[in-house]
Amino acid sequence: MERARRDGYVRFSGWGLQSLPAAISELGDLERLYLIHNRLKSLPPGLGHLINLTELDVRNNVLSSLPKEIGELRKLEELYLDDNQITALPPEIGQLSELRELDLDGNKIEVLPSELFRLRNLEQLDLRNNRLTFLPAEIGHLTNLRRLYLSNNRLKELPPEIGHLTKLDKLELDGNLITELPREVAQLLSRSISFSIARNPLADPLPDLVSRGIDALDAYLRSLEDAVPHYEAKVLIVGEGAVGKTSLLAALKDEKFVKNRNTTHGLEIHPLLFNHPDLDSEMTVRAWDFGGQEVYRITHQFFFSRRALYILVWNARKGQEQSEVEGWLSRVRLRVGHDARAILVPTHCDERNPEIDFEQLKQSFPNMLSGQFPVDNQSGYGISELRSEIAKEAANLPQMGRMLSPRWIAARDDVLARYQSEPQISWADFVEACKSQHLDEEETITLAELLHDLGHIIYYGDDEGLRDIVVLNPEWLTKAIAYVLEDAPTREANGVLDHARLRTIWQDRIEGEVYPSRHHPYFLRLMEKFDISYRLEEREKKSLIAQLVPHSRPVLPWVFRTPVSANVRVVTLVCKLQESAPGIVAWLTVRHHNSSTGKHWRNGVFLRHPTSAYASEALIELQQDRRLIMQVRAPSPDLFFNVLRDSLEHMLRGRWPGLRYQFLVPCPTPGCTGEFPLNGLLRRREGGSATRDCLECDHDHDISVLLTGFNTGQVEIRSHLEALHEELDAIHASVGRMEGSVQRVEVFAAQSADSLRRVLKVVSAEVSDCPRMFTLALPPRNTGPLVPAAMLRERRLTFQLVYLTLWCEHPGEWHPWQPATYELKQEREWLVRIAPYANFVLKTLRLAVPIVGAVSGIALPRQTVDDLSKRIELMKVLAEKLPAEVERQERLGELPKNELTKPEGQALRGLRSLLFKYDENRSFGDLRRVQAPSGELLWVCPRHYHEYDPGLPELPNPPTRFQGLESNNGDGAERVAGQQTPRQRTSEKQELEGRPDHHLTAVPLRPAVPENT
Ligand SMILES: Nc1nc2c(ncn2[C@@H]2O[C@H](COP(=O)(O)OP(=O)(O)O)[C@@H](O)[C@H]2O)c(=O)[nH]1
Ligand SMILES: [Mg+2]
Ligand SMILES: [Zn+2]
Ligand SMILES: [Zn+2]
């Protein structure tokens, strides 16, 4: 016992103890007791004698309860009970009045004793992975609580008293059963706490708001002050042309039947009133009737909203095939997802009964079809049955009855009512409309984003060029886009659109809609936003329309079966799609145009990573409509491969939420066509298997070999970084001596880039609403450059003044961004707080400095690289001087693989709070958040920002400024340096699930112009 005892603490970690020696109770002066990772079933009552204990750590045992004597430990400040089997806490826990930290992650607690809420000094309460069904209102008494972890429980709601926790800076609620949030949560959010609520069945419109970010959620919850339930739904009437959609709508509105009705020319939105089937209230159903022209049919699907009811109309006289019933259903499902709901409505049913295999359709579209309701629009047959069915289905839509502020509704109605006279309005007009309904700035932005997400308007508030235009009539826009897609000269030029043609296409039309030239730059930019086109060399004034590229595959440097040269590794992935996803290749072509080699065709694209040092090439090809093959070849292919794979998944999830797909790894045996499902391999490896046999060639394959390239994330990230540091040191030591060192450096460069990407993913999981990479430095004694590291080593750190500089996270070119430098005065406490994360950052940044000399294709000049190294060296010396609380972390033993540790996460949030404190309007020296093609969110400097958002194109006929801007001091579009975008947080939306609405694929399902023209 004495042997184990040192300086007031005793450690029996990982001894396999099944019980504690009785003598433990004699150690009355013991301050800390560590019993991590043993087999303890219980703690002895004698524990109560250790009255000087301040810290008790019993993580990772098999305790099912605590002795009531635990209450005697009056000096206890930290109690760690993670990963035990505890089902309930004794009431005596309430006596631990000094307790600051209580960790119960991974137990079986169902109910919290009310005594727990006496612990007024508690700062951290970790209840992740328990079985809580209910959080008592008394939680509001824990007013010193800073961190509350409640992920993975069974909570259905939060008490409003949660708003009393005025010191809270972290609230984790992921993986519960929460559907609504009390308005009081806004009191927490407006203090910018770190808040997460993924994997909860949130009611509308919360999911959209959550993915937009904390400010949006805050604005919405605050607006609920005067909210009333709102009974409204969107119904889309879809189907082939001339099947009776408009006539059906007229019949539903009790209007007279019109024989030989004129075809509908644009989108028409008609409000219909229904009685709620269960409640004593009226519902407004906004029915969307699209224009009749066949050619624009393809654009309709872009407005298929997720939370809407679909009425699929077909003509019973013409039959099911003629009316494309299945085609329409699968298009709706692809874009909306598997919870789409549709009603089948055959028309012309006076003369003929519908012949349709409804049972078979039901099987192909499970849970999608509410029923079939034959009608005749002329006689009115079946209309009243259909009416009650629409009412029933609409009442079941998730947003029905949601709480909304009447001010928001009024503002929205005011704006939307203008769509028939004005297809678009300026942002200034939108703001004006909201202002007259007393919406504040945050509410206005949130309302715009919400309307965009719901498919009512098109508004990109975070795009330089587009933030001033609000499109009200989607069809007005898609028609403009369709004109480009149909343009014969552009088709003949293999998709190269000469900007000089835009005038002819949009303005000098003989028939159809005419679009004044002031709109042209916006349209072209919107086409880029929708991934339809990208600008070729700026000087050339040309864009590539990716879906119009040639059909035939050009000659390529290599194809899938070309033998590989030495030193080159190959990673191949097959993505098997359950249905065809028209436009998938065009999308990838646009998304990765930075890697373009000019070699693209209808079914494929050949890419080269823009950083030539990585020597990474990729071939992507769609075969037989449903098999997308992706192969990357490089000395170190992982980076490019991961980028492309993430990008593909991001796109599939966002654009086709209803599309099912499977990843396959091809069998490496030469000539074998066998394939292994990726998930199966991962599962087997998880289960401990080392090999897998191929059913085609009977060879046993090493699973780890099959998974090479898919491996990222298997090694714990910190030791992964360490390993790279060792390699870096070895490279430095060998520079100039070793044969083949260029190749070695190139491999290393690609590997570190891949790791930096992984680091950002890990970090983003904790914080994404501010820049995360930084260095620290001290000011010089006099004036002049920063204090050199050698001198700093000698100097005592006084914390009087420390410079913190944020970094730009542009891949391959990370660099400090001087304008984002903060002078931290007397911030010792803060710096200590962020120390654990600073150490993590240090490990990362060292890999971000390119090795000069050996590699071609490094974009940074030598001097810059030297500056980087110097800064990192400085930061290192400083970080060493910070009295970091790393000790506890080291005791933990096993580090989380792809997450920050708790202290690191806490420190990162500390950094965030510090930045928010020093930079109240969050301008971060004009660093801005962007989304990489593969979906991750990055913070980049203005110089690199241009690569993500090139702004409005300058077209050959200089347009007069967009009309609406005049009211905005004549020049609303110019950004003053340092001025905020409407909201710096921008949108995480795309990251999470993308938006089925408004993403134009515009691949003609049936070509509008014959292919051979
Ligand atoms: N007899 C009969 N004619 C119909 C019915 N529904 C539509 N029509 C006629 O079919 C034509 C096309 O209808 P319309 O509503 O414009 O079709 P949409 O293009 O799908 O909107 C019009 O001439 C209508 O009068 C129906 O149920 N019975
Ligand atoms: Mg019509
Ligand atoms: Zn095989
Ligand atoms: Zn930059």
mmCIF file of all heavy atoms in Angstrom, residues 237 239-249 257-264 289-293 313 315 317 346-351 375-379, ligand 1:
data_model
loop_
_atom_site.group_PDB
_atom_site.id
_atom_site.type_symbol
_atom_site.label_atom_id
_atom_site.label_comp_id
_atom_site.label_asym_id
_atom_site.label_seq_id
_atom_site.Cartn_x
_atom_site.Cartn_y
_atom_site.Cartn_z
ATOM 1 N N ILE A 237 -48.247 19.454 -57.524
ATOM 2 C CA ILE A 237 -49.021 18.671 -58.482
ATOM 3 C C ILE A 237 -48.109 18.350 -59.652
ATOM 4 O O ILE A 237 -47.663 19.255 -60.363
ATOM 5 C CB ILE A 237 -50.265 19.466 -58.930
ATOM 6 C CG1 ILE A 237 -51.058 19.804 -57.667
ATOM 7 C CG2 ILE A 237 -51.082 18.654 -59.906
ATOM 8 C CD1 ILE A 237 -52.356 20.500 -57.931
ATOM 9 N N GLY A 239 -46.737 15.543 -62.917
ATOM 10 C CA GLY A 239 -47.187 14.613 -63.942
ATOM 11 C C GLY A 239 -46.849 15.165 -65.315
ATOM 12 O O GLY A 239 -46.400 16.306 -65.445
ATOM 13 N N GLU A 240 -47.086 14.332 -66.330
ATOM 14 C CA GLU A 240 -46.813 14.739 -67.709
ATOM 15 C C GLU A 240 -47.672 15.943 -68.102
ATOM 16 O O GLU A 240 -48.624 16.291 -67.402
ATOM 17 C CB GLU A 240 -47.114 13.577 -68.663
ATOM 18 C CG GLU A 240 -46.247 12.363 -68.442
ATOM 19 C CD GLU A 240 -44.811 12.593 -68.884
ATOM 20 O OE1 GLU A 240 -44.530 12.489 -70.077
ATOM 21 O OE2 GLU A 240 -43.964 12.880 -68.011
ATOM 22 N N GLY A 241 -47.367 16.516 -69.249
ATOM 23 C CA GLY A 241 -48.168 17.638 -69.738
ATOM 24 C C GLY A 241 -49.547 17.171 -70.187
ATOM 25 O O GLY A 241 -49.736 16.024 -70.598
ATOM 26 N N ALA A 242 -50.533 18.027 -70.051
ATOM 27 C CA ALA A 242 -51.888 17.805 -70.555
ATOM 28 C C ALA A 242 -52.598 16.596 -69.955
ATOM 29 O O ALA A 242 -53.494 16.031 -70.551
ATOM 30 C CB ALA A 242 -51.888 17.689 -72.088
ATOM 31 N N VAL A 243 -52.197 16.175 -68.773
ATOM 32 C CA VAL A 243 -52.905 15.062 -68.135
ATOM 33 C C VAL A 243 -54.073 15.562 -67.285
ATOM 34 O O VAL A 243 -54.909 14.780 -66.845
ATOM 35 C CB VAL A 243 -51.965 14.195 -67.263
ATOM 36 C CG1 VAL A 243 -50.970 13.449 -68.121
ATOM 37 C CG2 VAL A 243 -51.262 15.044 -66.216
ATOM 38 N N GLY A 244 -54.116 16.879 -67.043
ATOM 39 C CA GLY A 244 -55.233 17.426 -66.274
ATOM 40 C C GLY A 244 -54.836 18.000 -64.927
ATOM 41 O O GLY A 244 -55.667 18.099 -64.018
ATOM 42 N N LYS A 245 -53.592 18.435 -64.776
ATOM 43 C CA LYS A 245 -53.138 18.980 -63.493
ATOM 44 C C LYS A 245 -53.864 20.282 -63.163
ATOM 45 O O LYS A 245 -54.412 20.452 -62.075
ATOM 46 C CB LYS A 245 -51.617 19.222 -63.527
ATOM 47 C CG LYS A 245 -50.782 17.974 -63.752
ATOM 48 C CD LYS A 245 -49.300 18.253 -63.608
ATOM 49 C CE LYS A 245 -48.756 19.179 -64.683
ATOM 50 N NZ LYS A 245 -48.804 18.614 -66.049
ATOM 51 N N THR A 246 -53.840 21.200 -64.141
ATOM 52 C CA THR A 246 -54.470 22.491 -63.881
ATOM 53 C C THR A 246 -55.984 22.339 -63.724
ATOM 54 O O THR A 246 -56.588 22.994 -62.874
ATOM 55 C CB THR A 246 -54.118 23.475 -65.016
ATOM 56 O OG1 THR A 246 -52.693 23.494 -65.163
ATOM 57 C CG2 THR A 246 -54.587 24.869 -64.710
ATOM 58 N N SER A 247 -56.549 21.455 -64.509
ATOM 59 C CA SER A 247 -57.994 21.222 -64.379
ATOM 60 C C SER A 247 -58.329 20.630 -63.015
ATOM 61 O O SER A 247 -59.370 20.947 -62.429
ATOM 62 C CB SER A 247 -58.475 20.262 -65.466
ATOM 63 O OG SER A 247 -58.081 20.711 -66.721
ATOM 64 N N LEU A 248 -57.460 19.782 -62.527
ATOM 65 C CA LEU A 248 -57.687 19.186 -61.207
ATOM 66 C C LEU A 248 -57.687 20.265 -60.137
ATOM 67 O O LEU A 248 -58.547 20.294 -59.243
ATOM 68 C CB LEU A 248 -56.610 18.137 -60.908
ATOM 69 C CG LEU A 248 -56.674 17.532 -59.508
ATOM 70 C CD1 LEU A 248 -57.911 16.656 -59.367
ATOM 71 C CD2 LEU A 248 -55.423 16.724 -59.188
ATOM 72 N N LEU A 249 -56.727 21.143 -60.247
ATOM 73 C CA LEU A 249 -56.624 22.229 -59.284
ATOM 74 C C LEU A 249 -57.896 23.078 -59.316
ATOM 75 O O LEU A 249 -58.443 23.444 -58.272
ATOM 76 C CB LEU A 249 -55.388 23.078 -59.617
ATOM 77 C CG LEU A 249 -54.913 24.066 -58.582
ATOM 78 C CD1 LEU A 249 -54.781 23.398 -57.230
ATOM 79 C CD2 LEU A 249 -53.566 24.618 -59.011
ATOM 80 N N PHE A 257 -65.192 23.761 -64.977
ATOM 81 C CA PHE A 257 -64.316 23.014 -65.864
ATOM 82 C C PHE A 257 -64.175 23.765 -67.199
ATOM 83 O O PHE A 257 -65.142 24.291 -67.734
ATOM 84 C CB PHE A 257 -64.894 21.617 -66.120
ATOM 85 C CG PHE A 257 -64.107 20.805 -67.100
ATOM 86 C CD1 PHE A 257 -62.894 20.231 -66.726
ATOM 87 C CD2 PHE A 257 -64.549 20.616 -68.404
ATOM 88 C CE1 PHE A 257 -62.156 19.474 -67.616
ATOM 89 C CE2 PHE A 257 -63.815 19.866 -69.310
ATOM 90 C CZ PHE A 257 -62.609 19.289 -68.910
ATOM 91 N N VAL A 258 -62.961 23.831 -67.702
ATOM 92 C CA VAL A 258 -62.716 24.514 -68.969
ATOM 93 C C VAL A 258 -62.287 23.486 -69.995
ATOM 94 O O VAL A 258 -61.280 22.793 -69.815
ATOM 95 C CB VAL A 258 -61.602 25.579 -68.814
ATOM 96 C CG1 VAL A 258 -61.359 26.274 -70.146
ATOM 97 C CG2 VAL A 258 -61.989 26.580 -67.736
ATOM 98 N N LYS A 259 -63.081 23.372 -71.063
ATOM 99 C CA LYS A 259 -62.681 22.454 -72.143
ATOM 100 C C LYS A 259 -61.558 23.103 -72.911
ATOM 101 O O LYS A 259 -61.544 24.304 -73.116
ATOM 102 C CB LYS A 259 -63.885 22.204 -73.059
ATOM 103 C CG LYS A 259 -64.380 20.783 -72.950
ATOM 104 C CD LYS A 259 -65.138 20.359 -74.187
ATOM 105 C CE LYS A 259 -65.205 18.852 -74.227
ATOM 106 N NZ LYS A 259 -66.452 18.303 -73.763
ATOM 107 N N ASN A 260 -60.622 22.327 -73.361
ATOM 108 C CA ASN A 260 -59.470 22.833 -74.116
ATOM 109 C C ASN A 260 -58.810 24.032 -73.433
ATOM 110 O O ASN A 260 -58.658 25.099 -74.009
ATOM 111 C CB ASN A 260 -59.878 23.206 -75.542
ATOM 112 C CG ASN A 260 -60.470 22.008 -76.254
ATOM 113 O OD1 ASN A 260 -59.985 20.883 -76.073
ATOM 114 N ND2 ASN A 260 -61.525 22.236 -77.012
ATOM 115 N N ARG A 261 -58.457 23.790 -72.246
ATOM 116 C CA ARG A 261 -57.793 24.809 -71.440
ATOM 117 C C ARG A 261 -56.431 25.157 -72.057
ATOM 118 O O ARG A 261 -55.738 24.307 -72.596
ATOM 119 C CB ARG A 261 -57.588 24.200 -70.046
ATOM 120 C CG ARG A 261 -56.869 25.039 -69.049
ATOM 121 C CD ARG A 261 -56.696 24.242 -67.773
ATOM 122 N NE ARG A 261 -57.947 24.161 -66.999
ATOM 123 C CZ ARG A 261 -58.359 25.137 -66.183
ATOM 124 N NH1 ARG A 261 -57.654 26.239 -66.059
ATOM 125 N NH2 ARG A 261 -59.469 25.004 -65.514
ATOM 126 N N ASN A 262 -56.066 26.425 -71.974
ATOM 127 C CA ASN A 262 -54.725 26.823 -72.429
ATOM 128 C C ASN A 262 -53.681 26.216 -71.501
ATOM 129 O O ASN A 262 -53.892 26.160 -70.294
ATOM 130 C CB ASN A 262 -54.570 28.344 -72.370
ATOM 131 C CG ASN A 262 -55.293 29.007 -73.528
ATOM 132 O OD1 ASN A 262 -55.528 28.358 -74.561
ATOM 133 N ND2 ASN A 262 -55.657 30.251 -73.352
ATOM 134 N N THR A 263 -52.548 25.822 -72.082
ATOM 135 C CA THR A 263 -51.535 25.238 -71.205
ATOM 136 C C THR A 263 -50.995 26.300 -70.253
ATOM 137 O O THR A 263 -50.904 27.477 -70.593
ATOM 138 C CB THR A 263 -50.351 24.658 -71.996
ATOM 139 O OG1 THR A 263 -50.025 25.573 -73.018
ATOM 140 C CG2 THR A 263 -50.681 23.300 -72.548
ATOM 141 N N THR A 264 -50.640 25.839 -69.076
ATOM 142 C CA THR A 264 -50.123 26.729 -68.051
ATOM 143 C C THR A 264 -48.741 27.214 -68.478
ATOM 144 O O THR A 264 -47.926 26.424 -68.924
ATOM 145 C CB THR A 264 -49.985 25.958 -66.729
ATOM 146 O OG1 THR A 264 -51.099 25.075 -66.627
ATOM 147 C CG2 THR A 264 -49.950 26.873 -65.549
ATOM 148 N N ASP A 289 -48.592 24.423 -59.131
ATOM 149 C CA ASP A 289 -48.897 23.875 -60.449
ATOM 150 C C ASP A 289 -47.849 24.408 -61.418
ATOM 151 O O ASP A 289 -47.716 25.609 -61.610
ATOM 152 C CB ASP A 289 -50.307 24.334 -60.868
ATOM 153 C CG ASP A 289 -50.682 23.835 -62.255
ATOM 154 O OD1 ASP A 289 -50.063 22.861 -62.722
ATOM 155 O OD2 ASP A 289 -51.593 24.429 -62.864
ATOM 156 N N PHE A 290 -47.079 23.490 -61.995
ATOM 157 C CA PHE A 290 -45.993 23.932 -62.866
ATOM 158 C C PHE A 290 -46.478 24.129 -64.286
ATOM 159 O O PHE A 290 -47.499 23.610 -64.709
ATOM 160 C CB PHE A 290 -44.868 22.893 -62.869
ATOM 161 C CG PHE A 290 -44.126 22.852 -61.571
ATOM 162 C CD1 PHE A 290 -44.334 21.830 -60.670
ATOM 163 C CD2 PHE A 290 -43.221 23.855 -61.258
ATOM 164 C CE1 PHE A 290 -43.640 21.797 -59.478
ATOM 165 C CE2 PHE A 290 -42.522 23.826 -60.068
ATOM 166 C CZ PHE A 290 -42.737 22.785 -59.171
ATOM 167 N N GLY A 291 -45.697 24.892 -65.032
ATOM 168 C CA GLY A 291 -46.022 25.175 -66.424
ATOM 169 C C GLY A 291 -46.093 23.908 -67.251
ATOM 170 O O GLY A 291 -45.563 22.866 -66.883
ATOM 171 N N GLY A 292 -46.764 24.030 -68.383
ATOM 172 C CA GLY A 292 -47.050 22.836 -69.154
ATOM 173 C C GLY A 292 -45.969 22.373 -70.104
ATOM 174 O O GLY A 292 -45.940 21.214 -70.467
ATOM 175 N N GLN A 293 -45.085 23.276 -70.547
ATOM 176 C CA GLN A 293 -44.156 22.857 -71.581
ATOM 177 C C GLN A 293 -43.298 21.675 -71.163
ATOM 178 O O GLN A 293 -42.641 21.709 -70.143
ATOM 179 C CB GLN A 293 -43.227 24.005 -71.997
ATOM 180 C CG GLN A 293 -43.832 24.906 -73.033
ATOM 181 C CD GLN A 293 -44.350 26.178 -72.396
ATOM 182 O OE1 GLN A 293 -44.872 26.138 -71.271
ATOM 183 N NE2 GLN A 293 -44.226 27.279 -73.100
ATOM 184 N N VAL A 313 -50.517 13.173 -61.077
ATOM 185 C CA VAL A 313 -51.691 13.126 -61.946
ATOM 186 C C VAL A 313 -51.335 12.392 -63.230
ATOM 187 O O VAL A 313 -50.256 12.603 -63.796
ATOM 188 C CB VAL A 313 -52.145 14.569 -62.283
ATOM 189 C CG1 VAL A 313 -53.407 14.534 -63.124
ATOM 190 C CG2 VAL A 313 -52.385 15.359 -61.002
ATOM 191 N N ASN A 315 -53.313 10.488 -66.906
ATOM 192 C CA ASN A 315 -54.537 10.379 -67.688
ATOM 193 C C ASN A 315 -54.892 8.910 -67.882
ATOM 194 O O ASN A 315 -54.180 8.168 -68.541
ATOM 195 C CB ASN A 315 -54.295 11.061 -69.048
ATOM 196 C CG ASN A 315 -55.548 11.092 -69.898
ATOM 197 O OD1 ASN A 315 -56.475 10.307 -69.677
ATOM 198 N ND2 ASN A 315 -55.571 11.982 -70.857
ATOM 199 N N ARG A 317 -56.995 7.571 -69.619
ATOM 200 C CA ARG A 317 -57.243 7.196 -71.001
ATOM 201 C C ARG A 317 -55.959 6.792 -71.694
ATOM 202 O O ARG A 317 -55.937 5.975 -72.593
ATOM 203 C CB ARG A 317 -57.826 8.393 -71.753
ATOM 204 C CG ARG A 317 -59.317 8.255 -71.994
ATOM 205 C CD ARG A 317 -59.740 9.323 -72.957
ATOM 206 N NE ARG A 317 -60.534 10.340 -72.266
ATOM 207 C CZ ARG A 317 -60.845 11.520 -72.813
ATOM 208 N NH1 ARG A 317 -60.389 11.844 -74.012
ATOM 209 N NH2 ARG A 317 -61.587 12.365 -72.147
ATOM 210 N N PRO A 346 -55.607 9.397 -61.146
ATOM 211 C CA PRO A 346 -55.914 9.266 -62.567
ATOM 212 C C PRO A 346 -57.087 10.196 -62.924
ATOM 213 O O PRO A 346 -58.063 10.276 -62.169
ATOM 214 C CB PRO A 346 -56.320 7.798 -62.719
ATOM 215 C CG PRO A 346 -56.571 7.283 -61.340
ATOM 216 C CD PRO A 346 -56.031 8.243 -60.340
ATOM 217 N N THR A 347 -56.971 10.909 -64.037
ATOM 218 C CA THR A 347 -58.064 11.790 -64.485
ATOM 219 C C THR A 347 -58.831 11.120 -65.631
ATOM 220 O O THR A 347 -58.501 10.013 -66.028
ATOM 221 C CB THR A 347 -57.494 13.126 -64.988
ATOM 222 O OG1 THR A 347 -56.534 12.833 -65.997
ATOM 223 C CG2 THR A 347 -56.824 13.905 -63.876
ATOM 224 N N HIS A 348 -59.811 11.820 -66.142
ATOM 225 C CA HIS A 348 -60.646 11.321 -67.251
ATOM 226 C C HIS A 348 -61.307 9.993 -66.871
ATOM 227 O O HIS A 348 -61.366 9.072 -67.674
ATOM 228 C CB HIS A 348 -59.826 11.105 -68.532
ATOM 229 C CG HIS A 348 -59.211 12.360 -69.074
ATOM 230 N ND1 HIS A 348 -58.057 12.907 -68.558
ATOM 231 C CD2 HIS A 348 -59.589 13.170 -70.093
ATOM 232 C CE1 HIS A 348 -57.744 13.998 -69.221
ATOM 233 N NE2 HIS A 348 -58.663 14.191 -70.173
ATOM 234 N N CYS A 349 -61.798 9.878 -65.674
ATOM 235 C CA CYS A 349 -62.291 8.583 -65.213
ATOM 236 C C CYS A 349 -63.791 8.395 -65.385
ATOM 237 O O CYS A 349 -64.344 7.392 -64.952
ATOM 238 C CB CYS A 349 -61.875 8.331 -63.778
ATOM 239 S SG CYS A 349 -60.126 7.954 -63.709
ATOM 240 N N ASP A 350 -64.469 9.359 -66.009
ATOM 241 C CA ASP A 350 -65.871 9.123 -66.319
ATOM 242 C C ASP A 350 -66.002 8.079 -67.416
ATOM 243 O O ASP A 350 -66.878 7.235 -67.398
ATOM 244 C CB ASP A 350 -66.529 10.435 -66.791
ATOM 245 C CG ASP A 350 -67.281 11.083 -65.640
ATOM 246 O OD1 ASP A 350 -67.312 10.457 -64.556
ATOM 247 O OD2 ASP A 350 -67.804 12.186 -65.820
ATOM 248 N N GLU A 351 -65.073 8.184 -68.357
ATOM 249 C CA GLU A 351 -65.181 7.306 -69.512
ATOM 250 C C GLU A 351 -64.510 5.967 -69.290
ATOM 251 O O GLU A 351 -64.848 4.973 -69.881
ATOM 252 C CB GLU A 351 -64.523 7.981 -70.730
ATOM 253 C CG GLU A 351 -65.138 9.331 -71.037
ATOM 254 C CD GLU A 351 -64.148 10.214 -71.791
ATOM 255 O OE1 GLU A 351 -63.483 9.690 -72.701
ATOM 256 O OE2 GLU A 351 -64.027 11.407 -71.457
ATOM 257 N N VAL A 375 -60.507 10.451 -60.550
ATOM 258 C CA VAL A 375 -61.396 11.615 -60.635
ATOM 259 C C VAL A 375 -61.761 11.888 -62.091
ATOM 260 O O VAL A 375 -61.145 11.367 -63.013
ATOM 261 C CB VAL A 375 -60.728 12.906 -60.080
ATOM 262 C CG1 VAL A 375 -60.355 12.757 -58.632
ATOM 263 C CG2 VAL A 375 -59.528 13.300 -60.919
ATOM 264 N N ASP A 376 -62.752 12.704 -62.244
ATOM 265 C CA ASP A 376 -62.955 13.321 -63.542
ATOM 266 C C ASP A 376 -63.165 14.805 -63.325
ATOM 267 O O ASP A 376 -64.085 15.223 -62.616
ATOM 268 C CB ASP A 376 -64.142 12.708 -64.295
ATOM 269 C CG ASP A 376 -64.086 13.123 -65.759
ATOM 270 O OD1 ASP A 376 -64.412 14.299 -66.058
ATOM 271 O OD2 ASP A 376 -63.679 12.288 -66.585
ATOM 272 N N ASN A 377 -62.315 15.570 -63.921
ATOM 273 C CA ASN A 377 -62.349 17.010 -63.678
ATOM 274 C C ASN A 377 -63.553 17.671 -64.331
ATOM 275 O O ASN A 377 -63.959 18.759 -63.932
ATOM 276 C CB ASN A 377 -61.062 17.653 -64.185
ATOM 277 C CG ASN A 377 -59.859 17.156 -63.414
ATOM 278 O OD1 ASN A 377 -59.936 16.966 -62.207
ATOM 279 N ND2 ASN A 377 -58.766 16.914 -64.104
ATOM 280 N N GLN A 378 -64.097 16.995 -65.338
ATOM 281 C CA GLN A 378 -65.244 17.595 -66.029
ATOM 282 C C GLN A 378 -66.517 17.422 -65.200
ATOM 283 O O GLN A 378 -67.224 18.372 -64.920
ATOM 284 C CB GLN A 378 -65.413 16.965 -67.411
ATOM 285 C CG GLN A 378 -66.526 17.605 -68.208
ATOM 286 C CD GLN A 378 -66.414 17.310 -69.688
ATOM 287 O OE1 GLN A 378 -65.789 16.328 -70.098
ATOM 288 N NE2 GLN A 378 -67.009 18.150 -70.508
ATOM 289 N N SER A 379 -66.754 16.175 -64.743
ATOM 290 C CA SER A 379 -67.992 15.913 -64.017
ATOM 291 C C SER A 379 -67.855 16.157 -62.520
ATOM 292 O O SER A 379 -68.843 16.273 -61.813
ATOM 293 C CB SER A 379 -68.412 14.466 -64.240
ATOM 294 O OG SER A 379 -67.475 13.616 -63.605
HETATM 295 N N1 LIG B 1 -62.955 14.804 -69.997
HETATM 296 C C1 LIG B 1 -61.953 15.243 -69.221
HETATM 297 N N2 LIG B 1 -61.108 16.185 -69.693
HETATM 298 C C2 LIG B 1 -60.110 16.637 -68.903
HETATM 299 C C3 LIG B 1 -59.957 16.150 -67.593
HETATM 300 N N3 LIG B 1 -58.887 16.776 -67.024
HETATM 301 C C4 LIG B 1 -58.400 17.622 -67.966
HETATM 302 N N4 LIG B 1 -59.112 17.544 -69.083
HETATM 303 C C5 LIG B 1 -58.829 18.272 -70.317
HETATM 304 O O1 LIG B 1 -57.502 17.917 -70.712
HETATM 305 C C6 LIG B 1 -56.808 19.027 -71.221
HETATM 306 C C7 LIG B 1 -55.503 19.269 -70.459
HETATM 307 O O2 LIG B 1 -55.817 19.608 -69.132
HETATM 308 P P1 LIG B 1 -54.880 20.534 -68.232
HETATM 309 O O3 LIG B 1 -55.534 20.671 -66.932
HETATM 310 O O4 LIG B 1 -54.514 21.784 -68.928
HETATM 311 O O5 LIG B 1 -53.607 19.597 -68.128
HETATM 312 P P2 LIG B 1 -52.163 19.937 -67.503
HETATM 313 O O6 LIG B 1 -51.256 20.267 -68.621
HETATM 314 O O7 LIG B 1 -51.747 18.681 -66.835
HETATM 315 O O8 LIG B 1 -52.342 21.062 -66.563
HETATM 316 C C8 LIG B 1 -57.739 20.203 -71.120
HETATM 317 O O9 LIG B 1 -58.283 20.479 -72.370
HETATM 318 C C9 LIG B 1 -58.797 19.781 -70.138
HETATM 319 O O10 LIG B 1 -60.050 20.348 -70.440
HETATM 320 C C10 LIG B 1 -60.852 15.142 -67.124
HETATM 321 O O11 LIG B 1 -60.780 14.644 -65.982
HETATM 322 N N5 LIG B 1 -61.841 14.724 -67.979
#
